[in-house]
Amino acid sequence: MSFFETAARDPIFWLHHANIDRLWEAWLALEDHVNPTGRRWDPWLNTWFKVGSGASAVTLRVRQVLDTRQPPLNYFYSNISVPAPAPAVVLTASSATDSGFAEEEPVSQDIPLEMVGASETRVPLAAEPTEVEVAIEAPSGPALRERAEGAQPRKVYLQVENVRGRALAAPNYRVYVNLPPGADPTAYEDRRIGQVSMFGVREASESGEGLTFSFDCTRVVERLQKTEEWDPERLRVTFAPVRPSAEKGGDVSVGGVRLFYA
């Protein structure tokens, strides 16, 4: 699954894409939902692709496979019910809690993010956990300006950017914050904020931009504040490989890690 040219050999690839097709069919079943039509969509609808190889190869256009119940597909889904959405949780901000974050005032969607820290060197993604420290500056921008003195940020985001390389030491990396020195990452799942996937990293590296990942780590920061394990001046980020290959050293690295407050 790590590379575009071999992803389709993994059974989970087919499960994933088959479910995306099912969800599209479920969306179409909702009131007033239809497939795109009109001249503006003609280039996409007429895009062709080939299925199979050799004498059994078949060339089709997108418009021919929009309706699964018609030839050449001839199938339908036994269940196209739409899952019920999870209850919305609104982070609020007026009265301080014991975590240092606040409650009861809806967060404005117009408040911009303020970068308060950035790493200074590239971080290798190896067959063993690697880490980087980020110095955090006191926020002073619009994220806090309109609020009471000493207030904590409403949201905290971590951005992992410019992930580049061609030789992989592992297919994925779990991202943790503020692990104790030498700790086993799997013993601190409550400090995991997300995962960096190597899918597409080689192709993205050809352009020089690499891959970028953004994580909402607000809840993890809240828990660390409660246990007095959050340092407002320094952050430590750990990248722990998932199913690493002992035979491959790898050359993938992270170009930068940045912390944002809102």
Side-chain angles (χ1 to χ4, degrees):
M1 280 290 288
S2 297
F3 303 126
F4 289 169
E5 61 267 31
T6 59
R9 299 178 185 175
D10 192 323
I12 198 172
F13 173 93
W14 295 97
L15 289 172
H16 168 70
H17 282 280
N19 192 47
I20 290 177
D21 290 344
R22 187 190 69 83
L23 290 174
W24 181 258
E25 197 70 15
W27 181 83
L28 288 173
L30 299 176
E31 186 177 0
D32 297 328
H33 287 185
V34 296
N35 279 313
T37 58
R39 294 183 60 182
R40 61 174 295 196
W41 293 101
D42 282 346
W44 174 69
L45 292 170
N46 289 322
T47 300
W48 64 271
F49 58 96
K50 184 177 290 186
V51 179
S53 60
S56 62
V58 177
T59 299
L60 299 169
R61 297 188 182 277
V62 170
R63 63 171 68 252
Q64 294 177 266
V65 294
L66 288 181
D67 189 342
T68 67
R69 295 163 296 182
Q70 299 297 321
L73 299 181
N74 296 312
Y75 71 85
F76 66 93
Y77 295 97
S78 61
N79 183 353
I80 57 171
S81 59
V82 179
V89 178
V90 179
L91 185 65
T92 57
S94 67
S95 61
T97 68
D98 57 359
S99 69
F101 284 74
E103 295 180 345
E104 296 182 6
E105 178 188 336
V107 177
S108 170
Q109 299 300 315
D110 298 326
I111 297 177
L113 297 177
E114 178 184 359
M115 189 179 76
V116 294
S119 61
E120 298 180 352
T121 60
R122 295 194 69 88
V123 187
L125 297 182
E128 300 291 337
T130 55
E131 64 179 37
V132 61
E133 288 198 351
V134 178
I136 305 175
E137 300 178 355
S140 59
L144 296 180
R145 187 177 299 146
E146 64 182 45
R147 308 180 59 217
E149 183 178 353
Q152 296 296 318
R154 300 178 174 104
K155 301 284 283 184
V156 183
Y157 297 98
L158 188 79
Q159 182 166 290
V160 177
E161 59 189 20
N162 195 222
V163 180
R164 293 188 286 120
R166 298 190 62 81
L168 275 57
N172 302 292
Y173 290 82
R174 291 171 180 160
V175 186
Y176 300 82
V177 295
N178 285 14
L179 292 182
D184 177 3
T186 60
Y188 289 88
E189 286 301 297
D190 59 333
R191 302 191 187 191
R192 177 155 63 99
I193 61 171
Q195 183 165 285
V196 170
S197 170
M198 295 293 98
F199 183 69
V201 68
R202 293 200 304 187
E203 292 77 9
S205 299
E206 293 177 0
S207 67
E209 297 180 359
L211 300 175
T212 293
F213 303 84
S214 296
F215 307 102
D216 183 345
C217 51
T218 308
R219 296 304 184 191
V220 175
V221 173
E222 285 181 323
R223 288 195 291 269
L224 290 173
Q225 283 190 322
K226 287 181 179 180
T227 58
E228 298 183 351
E229 296 174 281
W230 173 255
D231 185 346
E233 297 182 352
R234 187 162 297 276
L235 171 70
R236 184 167 58 255
V237 180
T238 301
F239 298 93
V242 179
R243 299 188 304 278
S245 172
E247 295 78 21
K248 298 180 180 179
D251 65 355
V252 179
S253 62
V254 174
V257 176
R258 298 197 289 174
L259 187 70
F260 295 87
Y261 285 169

